[in-house]
């Protein structure tokens, strides 16, 4: 007997409470959320994957205020339906690539308006998507949807809802969720930052981590314990004469909120992302300083991993780095080109 199995009923079951919180009509309202999640999981433009962020709410001003958004541009409207959702996302996704702009879907009285708005670009503040996590219980109901890697989608919603959907079928349970990968990386790279500035640098590195995890290229990052020397096998690379420390710049920006300092922090974030996107290993330390990039492990070391490894050179190098986690390294972050991500972090110190 022939049968067709679909994952949409399972998605609908998980997303129905969020649709109710938004005040959407049963059935079609849930399908709107399901369609948005499915579309975000597989956006491509001329063969290249896109990773837009989508926000769904009822009122534009309350949505912008909640996620620190500005400069909305409404682009169209129609009757709430799957066809309208597809049109909205197809029209807006290329505009929202790079996360400087986000897609907004406004639903109410059977109508759907769509457009884009500028996300919070403050380099030391949480992203617009993360801002949903900090909303009070009585805040207007909003839903955020974002890509967190190849065919992995994260959804935040009212009441602390925090869902992940893997459409690839290749997620590894030991790797944990993409948000856990991000959290471990951010915790390690800011572990020894002085406390008054630590929350701000956590936000800075979270922004970098999101783009690494959701990007279209592979990455390998080592976080050196600030009290340790770099392992000898990492000597082959481009090491800075002096560690690049953003503490003074960040402190001045926090005190004065000057445009020059803001642009400087944004530019450094872009520079770090480009370094991470290059071949080899990018090295930070647990005080949030950049030490080097384009680093490679000697072939003799890679040829002797601690355990049998399935994967290419980047995965084998990651396993070598993992052997140093808890010794000279505070963490190692791996992201494959096919979207798998993992972060090994040394146990927290008392």
């Amino acid at each position: 007997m022939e049968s067709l199995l679909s994952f949409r009923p399972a998605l609908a079951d998980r997303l129905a409470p969020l649709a109710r919180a938004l005040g959407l009509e049963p059935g079609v309202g849930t399908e709107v959320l399901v369609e948005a999640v499915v579309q975000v999981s597989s956006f491509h433009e001329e063969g290249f994957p896109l990773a837009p962020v989508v926000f769904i709410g009822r009122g534009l001003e309350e949505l912008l205020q909640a996620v620190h958004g500005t400069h909305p541009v409404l682009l169209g409207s129609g009757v709430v339906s799957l066809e309208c959702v597809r049109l909205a996302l197809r029209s807006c996704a290329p505009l929202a690539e790079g996360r400087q702009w986000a897609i907004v879907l406004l639903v109410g009285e059977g109508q759907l308006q769509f457009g884009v708005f500028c996300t919070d670009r403050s380099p030391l503040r949480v992203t617009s998507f993360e801002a949903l996590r900090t909303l009070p219980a009585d805040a207007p109901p909003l839903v955020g949807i974002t890509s967190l890697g190849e065919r992995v989608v994260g959804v935040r919603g009212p009441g602390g809802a925090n869902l992940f959907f893997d459409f690839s079928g290749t997620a590894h349970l030991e790797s944990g969720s993409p948000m856990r990968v991000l959290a471990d990386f951010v915790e390690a790279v800011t572990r020894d930052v002085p406390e008054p500035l630590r929350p701000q640098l956590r936000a800075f590195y979270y922004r970098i981590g999101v783009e690494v995890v959701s990007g279209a290229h592979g990455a390998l990052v080592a976080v050196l314990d600030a009290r340790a020397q770099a392992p000898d096998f990492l000597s082959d690379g481009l090491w800075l004469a002096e560690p690049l420390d953003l503490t003074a710049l960040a402190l001045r920006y926090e005190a004065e909120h000057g445009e020059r300092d803001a642009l400087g922090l944004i530019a450094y974030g872009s520079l770090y992302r480009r370094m991470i996107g290059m071949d080899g290993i990018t090295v930070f330390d647990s005080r949030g300083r950049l030490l080097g990039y384009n680093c490679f492990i000697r072939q003799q070391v890679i040829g002797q991993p601690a355990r049998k490894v399935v994967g290419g050179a980047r995965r084998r190098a990651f396993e070598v780095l993992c052997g140093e986690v808890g010794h000279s390294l505070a963490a190692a972050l791996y992201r494959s080109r096919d979207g798998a991500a993992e972060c090994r972090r040394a146990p927290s110190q008392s």
Side-chain angles (χ1 to χ4, degrees):
M1 180 178 178
E2 294 183 355
S3 62
L4 176 65
L5 299 179
S6 172
F7 53 78
R8 292 185 75 101
L11 285 179
D13 184 60
R14 298 299 302 275
L15 294 172
L18 301 186
R20 288 195 295 270
L22 284 171
L24 300 179
E25 295 181 10
V28 65
T30 301
E31 282 300 311
V32 165
L33 293 185
V34 170
E35 186 63 25
V37 169
V38 171
Q39 292 292 326
V40 168
S41 75
S42 58
F43 272 132
H44 282 77
E45 177 77 4
E46 296 186 351
F48 291 96
L50 303 180
V53 182
V54 180
F55 293 94
I56 304 174
R58 300 187 64 84
L60 179 60
E61 291 304 320
E62 64 185 24
L63 186 150
L64 294 176
Q65 183 176 1
V67 302
H68 310 134
T70 57
H71 308 303
V73 181
L74 294 179
L75 300 171
S77 63
V79 176
V80 174
S81 63
L82 297 186
E83 291 74 18
C84 191
V85 172
R86 290 168 185 154
L87 171 64
L89 298 180
R90 186 169 62 248
S91 302
C92 297
L95 308 179
E97 177 62 9
R99 298 178 183 267
Q100 293 187 21
W101 293 81
I103 300 171
V104 58
L105 304 180
L106 302 173
V107 292
E109 299 181 356
Q111 294 291 306
L112 185 148
Q113 287 183 292
F114 60 88
V116 294
F117 68 88
C118 187
T119 59
D120 187 351
R121 304 309 299 162
S122 175
L124 301 183
R125 193 155 64 178
V126 297
T127 64
S128 291
F129 185 76
E130 270 295 284
L132 292 176
R133 179 176 56 84
T134 66
L135 293 179
D138 59 350
L142 303 173
V143 172
I145 304 170
T146 187
S147 171
L148 291 171
E150 187 72 16
R151 298 186 66 78
V152 176
V153 178
V155 179
R156 288 194 184 277
N162 191 18
L163 308 174
F164 302 97
F165 300 101
D166 170 37
F167 292 85
S168 69
T170 61
H172 300 288
L173 292 178
E174 66 270 19
S175 301
S177 73
M179 298 307 292
R180 171 48 53 193
V181 171
L182 281 172
D184 284 342
F185 165 67
V186 171
E187 177 64 27
V189 79
T190 61
R191 188 189 70 189
D192 297 317
V193 172
E195 187 57 39
L197 194 58
R198 193 165 181 244
Q200 289 80 5
L201 283 189
R202 284 177 62 89
F204 177 83
Y205 278 106
Y206 178 88
R207 289 174 176 270
I208 293 175
V210 165
E211 296 204 21
V212 171
V213 170
S214 63
H217 53 75
L220 199 53
V221 177
V223 180
L224 182 70
D225 188 315
R227 299 161 299 185
Q229 295 291 324
D232 291 339
F233 61 72
L234 271 180
S235 58
D236 180 15
L238 295 169
W239 291 84
L240 279 63
E242 294 290 337
L244 185 48
D245 189 347
L246 301 183
T247 301
L249 179 59
L251 283 172
R252 189 168 64 241
Y253 173 72
E254 281 296 286
E256 303 173 6
H257 290 282
E259 180 181 11
R260 181 177 179 180
D261 293 334
L263 293 176
L265 288 166
I266 292 171
Y268 276 121
S270 177
L271 178 67
Y272 287 9
R273 285 188 287 271
R274 290 179 183 275
M275 289 177 172
I276 293 172
M278 293 178 64
D279 288 340
I281 303 163
T282 304
V283 184
F284 297 92
D285 72 6
S286 56
R287 289 172 56 187
R289 303 182 301 177
L290 175 71
L291 305 181
Y293 70 103
N294 199 219
C295 299
F296 293 89
I297 298 174
R298 294 197 308 271
Q299 183 61 40
Q300 303 94 300
V301 179
I302 285 191
Q304 300 174 352
R307 62 185 178 89
K308 187 175 181 179
V309 178
V310 177
R314 183 178 286 117
R315 180 71 202 192
R316 294 173 68 85
F318 174 67
E319 290 296 333
V320 173
L321 293 177
C322 288
E324 279 295 311
V325 172
H327 303 288
S328 62
L329 297 184
L333 171 67
Y334 162 81
R335 204 273 188 184
S336 70
R337 289 197 64 182
D338 63 6
E342 186 173 350
C343 184
R344 303 271 184 92
R345 179 168 64 91
S348 300
Q349 299 175 337
S350 57

